[in-house]
mmCIF file of all heavy atoms in Angstrom:
data_model
loop_
_atom_site.group_PDB
_atom_site.id
_atom_site.type_symbol
_atom_site.label_atom_id
_atom_site.label_comp_id
_atom_site.label_asym_id
_atom_site.label_seq_id
_atom_site.Cartn_x
_atom_site.Cartn_y
_atom_site.Cartn_z
ATOM 1 N N TYR A 1511 -49.481 34.253 165.220
ATOM 2 C CA TYR A 1511 -48.940 35.570 165.545
ATOM 3 C C TYR A 1511 -47.418 35.594 165.345
ATOM 4 O O TYR A 1511 -46.867 36.549 164.794
ATOM 5 C CB TYR A 1511 -49.294 35.906 166.993
ATOM 6 C CG TYR A 1511 -48.628 37.142 167.538
ATOM 7 C CD1 TYR A 1511 -49.162 38.400 167.295
ATOM 8 C CD2 TYR A 1511 -47.475 37.041 168.315
ATOM 9 C CE1 TYR A 1511 -48.554 39.535 167.807
ATOM 10 C CE2 TYR A 1511 -46.858 38.168 168.826
ATOM 11 C CZ TYR A 1511 -47.402 39.417 168.569
ATOM 12 O OH TYR A 1511 -46.793 40.533 169.066
ATOM 13 N N MET A 1521 -50.721 45.695 160.381
ATOM 14 C CA MET A 1521 -51.844 45.868 161.299
ATOM 15 C C MET A 1521 -51.562 46.974 162.300
ATOM 16 O O MET A 1521 -52.426 47.831 162.561
ATOM 17 C CB MET A 1521 -52.132 44.561 162.033
ATOM 18 C CG MET A 1521 -53.353 44.635 162.934
ATOM 19 S SD MET A 1521 -53.571 43.158 163.968
ATOM 20 C CE MET A 1521 -53.774 41.886 162.728
ATOM 21 N N ALA A 1522 -50.361 46.973 162.856
ATOM 22 C CA ALA A 1522 -50.011 48.005 163.829
ATOM 23 C C ALA A 1522 -50.083 49.391 163.196
ATOM 24 O O ALA A 1522 -50.560 50.355 163.817
ATOM 25 C CB ALA A 1522 -48.615 47.735 164.387
ATOM 26 N N TYR A 1525 -53.692 50.461 162.918
ATOM 27 C CA TYR A 1525 -54.212 50.919 164.207
ATOM 28 C C TYR A 1525 -53.724 52.332 164.533
ATOM 29 O O TYR A 1525 -54.480 53.156 165.052
ATOM 30 C CB TYR A 1525 -53.800 49.957 165.317
ATOM 31 C CG TYR A 1525 -54.693 48.744 165.447
ATOM 32 C CD1 TYR A 1525 -54.156 47.466 165.558
ATOM 33 C CD2 TYR A 1525 -56.079 48.878 165.489
ATOM 34 C CE1 TYR A 1525 -54.972 46.350 165.698
ATOM 35 C CE2 TYR A 1525 -56.898 47.775 165.623
ATOM 36 C CZ TYR A 1525 -56.340 46.509 165.734
ATOM 37 O OH TYR A 1525 -57.149 45.413 165.868
ATOM 38 N N ARG A 1526 -52.470 52.610 164.231
ATOM 39 C CA ARG A 1526 -51.950 53.959 164.511
ATOM 40 C C ARG A 1526 -52.681 55.007 163.688
ATOM 41 O O ARG A 1526 -52.970 56.105 164.174
ATOM 42 C CB ARG A 1526 -50.448 53.999 164.243
ATOM 43 C CG ARG A 1526 -49.604 53.383 165.356
ATOM 44 C CD ARG A 1526 -48.129 53.653 165.149
ATOM 45 N NE ARG A 1526 -47.603 52.894 164.025
ATOM 46 C CZ ARG A 1526 -47.075 51.679 164.127
ATOM 47 N NH1 ARG A 1526 -47.014 51.077 165.305
ATOM 48 N NH2 ARG A 1526 -46.603 51.055 163.057
ATOM 49 N N TRP A 1528 -55.689 54.866 162.683
ATOM 50 C CA TRP A 1528 -57.066 54.969 163.159
ATOM 51 C C TRP A 1528 -57.131 55.505 164.592
ATOM 52 O O TRP A 1528 -57.791 56.515 164.866
ATOM 53 C CB TRP A 1528 -57.728 53.587 163.064
ATOM 54 C CG TRP A 1528 -59.035 53.432 163.770
ATOM 55 C CD1 TRP A 1528 -59.936 54.414 164.089
ATOM 56 C CD2 TRP A 1528 -59.602 52.209 164.250
ATOM 57 N NE1 TRP A 1528 -61.032 53.877 164.735
ATOM 58 C CE2 TRP A 1528 -60.857 52.534 164.848
ATOM 59 C CE3 TRP A 1528 -59.182 50.884 164.226
ATOM 60 C CZ2 TRP A 1528 -61.674 51.564 165.416
ATOM 61 C CZ3 TRP A 1528 -60.016 49.915 164.791
ATOM 62 C CH2 TRP A 1528 -61.244 50.257 165.379
ATOM 63 N N LEU A 1529 -56.421 54.855 165.509
ATOM 64 C CA LEU A 1529 -56.545 55.143 166.928
ATOM 65 C C LEU A 1529 -55.452 56.048 167.472
ATOM 66 O O LEU A 1529 -55.577 56.566 168.583
ATOM 67 C CB LEU A 1529 -56.532 53.831 167.726
ATOM 68 C CG LEU A 1529 -57.626 52.812 167.373
ATOM 69 C CD1 LEU A 1529 -57.353 51.503 168.082
ATOM 70 C CD2 LEU A 1529 -59.002 53.357 167.722
ATOM 71 N N HIS A 1531 -52.513 54.912 168.159
ATOM 72 C CA HIS A 1531 -51.579 54.060 168.899
ATOM 73 C C HIS A 1531 -51.795 52.614 168.465
ATOM 74 O O HIS A 1531 -52.799 52.272 167.852
ATOM 75 C CB HIS A 1531 -51.813 54.179 170.415
ATOM 76 C CG HIS A 1531 -53.150 53.655 170.847
ATOM 77 N ND1 HIS A 1531 -53.377 52.332 171.163
ATOM 78 C CD2 HIS A 1531 -54.346 54.287 170.998
ATOM 79 C CE1 HIS A 1531 -54.645 52.165 171.501
ATOM 80 N NE2 HIS A 1531 -55.259 53.338 171.407
ATOM 81 N N ALA A 1532 -50.843 51.758 168.784
ATOM 82 C CA ALA A 1532 -50.942 50.337 168.444
ATOM 83 C C ALA A 1532 -50.038 49.547 169.377
ATOM 84 O O ALA A 1532 -48.964 49.105 168.991
ATOM 85 C CB ALA A 1532 -50.552 50.098 166.986
ATOM 86 N N ASP A 1533 -50.469 49.355 170.600
ATOM 87 C CA ASP A 1533 -49.644 48.584 171.527
ATOM 88 C C ASP A 1533 -49.710 47.098 171.165
ATOM 89 O O ASP A 1533 -50.662 46.622 170.530
ATOM 90 C CB ASP A 1533 -50.098 48.807 172.969
ATOM 91 C CG ASP A 1533 -51.542 48.377 173.190
ATOM 92 O OD1 ASP A 1533 -51.772 47.187 173.442
ATOM 93 O OD2 ASP A 1533 -52.433 49.251 173.082
ATOM 94 N N GLU A 1534 -48.710 46.374 171.581
ATOM 95 C CA GLU A 1534 -48.587 44.966 171.195
ATOM 96 C C GLU A 1534 -49.734 44.120 171.723
ATOM 97 O O GLU A 1534 -50.151 43.150 171.091
ATOM 98 C CB GLU A 1534 -47.254 44.401 171.690
ATOM 99 C CG GLU A 1534 -46.807 43.133 170.970
ATOM 100 C CD GLU A 1534 -46.549 43.362 169.491
ATOM 101 O OE1 GLU A 1534 -46.324 44.523 169.091
ATOM 102 O OE2 GLU A 1534 -46.595 42.383 168.728
ATOM 103 N N THR A 1535 -50.274 44.490 172.866
ATOM 104 C CA THR A 1535 -51.398 43.736 173.423
ATOM 105 C C THR A 1535 -52.602 43.771 172.506
ATOM 106 O O THR A 1535 -53.307 42.767 172.330
ATOM 107 C CB THR A 1535 -51.779 44.302 174.809
ATOM 108 O OG1 THR A 1535 -50.653 44.216 175.682
ATOM 109 C CG2 THR A 1535 -52.947 43.534 175.400
ATOM 110 N N LEU A 1536 -52.858 44.917 171.874
ATOM 111 C CA LEU A 1536 -53.978 45.052 170.948
ATOM 112 C C LEU A 1536 -53.778 44.153 169.732
ATOM 113 O O LEU A 1536 -54.706 43.459 169.298
ATOM 114 C CB LEU A 1536 -54.120 46.509 170.514
ATOM 115 C CG LEU A 1536 -55.188 46.828 169.466
ATOM 116 C CD1 LEU A 1536 -56.572 46.402 169.946
ATOM 117 C CD2 LEU A 1536 -55.174 48.312 169.127
ATOM 118 N N VAL A 1537 -52.578 44.146 169.173
ATOM 119 C CA VAL A 1537 -52.297 43.308 168.011
ATOM 120 C C VAL A 1537 -52.419 41.834 168.383
ATOM 121 O O VAL A 1537 -52.981 41.028 167.623
ATOM 122 C CB VAL A 1537 -50.898 43.626 167.450
ATOM 123 C CG1 VAL A 1537 -50.550 42.676 166.305
ATOM 124 C CG2 VAL A 1537 -50.844 45.077 166.971
ATOM 125 N N GLN A 1538 -51.917 41.451 169.535
ATOM 126 C CA GLN A 1538 -52.029 40.065 169.968
ATOM 127 C C GLN A 1538 -53.487 39.652 170.124
ATOM 128 O O GLN A 1538 -53.883 38.550 169.718
ATOM 129 C CB GLN A 1538 -51.285 39.877 171.297
ATOM 130 C CG GLN A 1538 -49.782 39.960 171.173
ATOM 131 C CD GLN A 1538 -49.092 39.889 172.518
ATOM 132 O OE1 GLN A 1538 -49.720 40.046 173.569
ATOM 133 N NE2 GLN A 1538 -47.782 39.657 172.490
ATOM 134 N N GLU A 1539 -54.302 40.520 170.700
ATOM 135 C CA GLU A 1539 -55.724 40.211 170.856
ATOM 136 C C GLU A 1539 -56.398 40.047 169.501
ATOM 137 O O GLU A 1539 -57.284 39.200 169.332
ATOM 138 C CB GLU A 1539 -56.405 41.307 171.672
ATOM 139 C CG GLU A 1539 -57.893 41.120 171.892
ATOM 140 C CD GLU A 1539 -58.252 39.957 172.806
ATOM 141 O OE1 GLU A 1539 -57.350 39.222 173.243
ATOM 142 O OE2 GLU A 1539 -59.458 39.784 173.069
ATOM 143 N N ALA A 1540 -55.989 40.822 168.514
ATOM 144 C CA ALA A 1540 -56.551 40.691 167.171
ATOM 145 C C ALA A 1540 -56.265 39.305 166.602
ATOM 146 O O ALA A 1540 -57.133 38.698 165.959
ATOM 147 C CB ALA A 1540 -55.980 41.768 166.257
ATOM 148 N N TYR A 1541 -55.077 38.790 166.837
ATOM 149 C CA TYR A 1541 -54.737 37.446 166.352
ATOM 150 C C TYR A 1541 -55.470 36.362 167.133
ATOM 151 O O TYR A 1541 -55.858 35.332 166.570
ATOM 152 C CB TYR A 1541 -53.230 37.226 166.389
ATOM 153 C CG TYR A 1541 -52.558 37.791 165.162
ATOM 154 C CD1 TYR A 1541 -52.089 39.097 165.153
ATOM 155 C CD2 TYR A 1541 -52.443 37.041 164.002
ATOM 156 C CE1 TYR A 1541 -51.504 39.639 164.021
ATOM 157 C CE2 TYR A 1541 -51.853 37.568 162.862
ATOM 158 C CZ TYR A 1541 -51.388 38.868 162.880
ATOM 159 O OH TYR A 1541 -50.832 39.403 161.742
ATOM 160 N N ARG A 1542 -55.659 36.569 168.434
ATOM 161 C CA ARG A 1542 -56.437 35.592 169.209
ATOM 162 C C ARG A 1542 -57.843 35.457 168.650
ATOM 163 O O ARG A 1542 -58.350 34.356 168.426
ATOM 164 C CB ARG A 1542 -56.513 36.008 170.682
ATOM 165 C CG ARG A 1542 -57.353 35.016 171.514
ATOM 166 C CD ARG A 1542 -57.800 35.596 172.843
ATOM 167 N NE ARG A 1542 -58.806 36.656 172.713
ATOM 168 C CZ ARG A 1542 -60.102 36.438 172.495
ATOM 169 N NH1 ARG A 1542 -60.572 35.213 172.310
ATOM 170 N NH2 ARG A 1542 -60.949 37.462 172.424
ATOM 171 N N ILE A 1543 -58.475 36.597 168.399
ATOM 172 C CA ILE A 1543 -59.846 36.597 167.889
ATOM 173 C C ILE A 1543 -59.902 35.956 166.511
ATOM 174 O O ILE A 1543 -60.754 35.097 166.244
ATOM 175 C CB ILE A 1543 -60.394 38.032 167.854
ATOM 176 C CG1 ILE A 1543 -60.589 38.548 169.281
ATOM 177 C CG2 ILE A 1543 -61.703 38.097 167.068
ATOM 178 C CD1 ILE A 1543 -60.872 40.034 169.362
ATOM 179 N N LEU A 1754 -66.814 49.666 167.099
ATOM 180 C CA LEU A 1754 -65.448 49.326 166.732
ATOM 181 C C LEU A 1754 -64.434 49.984 167.678
ATOM 182 O O LEU A 1754 -63.416 49.377 168.018
ATOM 183 C CB LEU A 1754 -65.169 49.734 165.286
ATOM 184 C CG LEU A 1754 -65.808 48.859 164.206
ATOM 185 C CD1 LEU A 1754 -65.570 49.463 162.824
ATOM 186 C CD2 LEU A 1754 -65.265 47.438 164.255
ATOM 187 N N HIS A 1757 -64.292 47.857 170.577
ATOM 188 C CA HIS A 1757 -63.797 46.500 170.309
ATOM 189 C C HIS A 1757 -62.791 46.523 169.159
ATOM 190 O O HIS A 1757 -62.948 45.812 168.161
ATOM 191 C CB HIS A 1757 -64.960 45.567 169.953
ATOM 192 C CG HIS A 1757 -66.040 45.498 170.988
ATOM 193 N ND1 HIS A 1757 -67.058 46.436 171.061
ATOM 194 C CD2 HIS A 1757 -66.266 44.615 172.003
ATOM 195 C CE1 HIS A 1757 -67.861 46.117 172.059
ATOM 196 N NE2 HIS A 1757 -67.401 45.028 172.652
ATOM 197 N N PRO A 1758 -61.739 47.318 169.244
ATOM 198 C CA PRO A 1758 -60.839 47.482 168.095
ATOM 199 C C PRO A 1758 -60.118 46.212 167.681
ATOM 200 O O PRO A 1758 -59.781 46.040 166.505
ATOM 201 C CB PRO A 1758 -59.859 48.556 168.572
ATOM 202 C CG PRO A 1758 -59.871 48.449 170.070
ATOM 203 C CD PRO A 1758 -61.291 48.111 170.409
ATOM 204 N N ALA A 1759 -59.861 45.297 168.605
ATOM 205 C CA ALA A 1759 -59.121 44.086 168.256
ATOM 206 C C ALA A 1759 -59.896 43.216 167.277
ATOM 207 O O ALA A 1759 -59.297 42.436 166.527
ATOM 208 C CB ALA A 1759 -58.794 43.286 169.520
ATOM 209 N N HIS A 1760 -61.210 43.335 167.262
ATOM 210 C CA HIS A 1760 -62.010 42.530 166.338
ATOM 211 C C HIS A 1760 -61.795 42.919 164.878
ATOM 212 O O HIS A 1760 -62.116 42.146 163.974
ATOM 213 C CB HIS A 1760 -63.499 42.670 166.676
ATOM 214 C CG HIS A 1760 -63.902 41.962 167.928
ATOM 215 N ND1 HIS A 1760 -63.479 42.357 169.173
ATOM 216 C CD2 HIS A 1760 -64.685 40.867 168.127
ATOM 217 C CE1 HIS A 1760 -63.991 41.551 170.095
ATOM 218 N NE2 HIS A 1760 -64.719 40.639 169.486
ATOM 219 N N TYR A 1761 -61.244 44.106 164.643
ATOM 220 C CA TYR A 1761 -61.113 44.612 163.271
ATOM 221 C C TYR A 1761 -59.698 44.496 162.720
ATOM 222 O O TYR A 1761 -59.457 44.806 161.557
ATOM 223 C CB TYR A 1761 -61.554 46.078 163.246
ATOM 224 C CG TYR A 1761 -62.279 46.502 161.989
ATOM 225 C CD1 TYR A 1761 -63.087 45.635 161.274
ATOM 226 C CD2 TYR A 1761 -62.179 47.815 161.519
ATOM 227 C CE1 TYR A 1761 -63.771 46.043 160.144
ATOM 228 C CE2 TYR A 1761 -62.858 48.235 160.383
ATOM 229 C CZ TYR A 1761 -63.654 47.341 159.707
ATOM 230 O OH TYR A 1761 -64.327 47.744 158.570
ATOM 231 N N GLY A 1762 -58.768 44.048 163.527
ATOM 232 C CA GLY A 1762 -57.371 44.070 163.122
ATOM 233 C C GLY A 1762 -57.058 43.255 161.888
ATOM 234 O O GLY A 1762 -56.360 43.724 160.977
#
Side-chain angles (χ1 to χ4, degrees):
Y1511 171 83
M1521 184 188 299
Y1525 277 133
R1526 282 189 289 269
W1528 168 25
L1529 302 171
H1531 65 87
D1533 60 85
E1534 200 63 21
T1535 301
L1536 176 58
V1537 175
Q1538 290 175 345
E1539 179 69 357
Y1541 277 91
R1542 179 198 70 79
I1543 291 169
L1754 286 174
H1757 304 83
H1760 288 68
Y1761 216 32

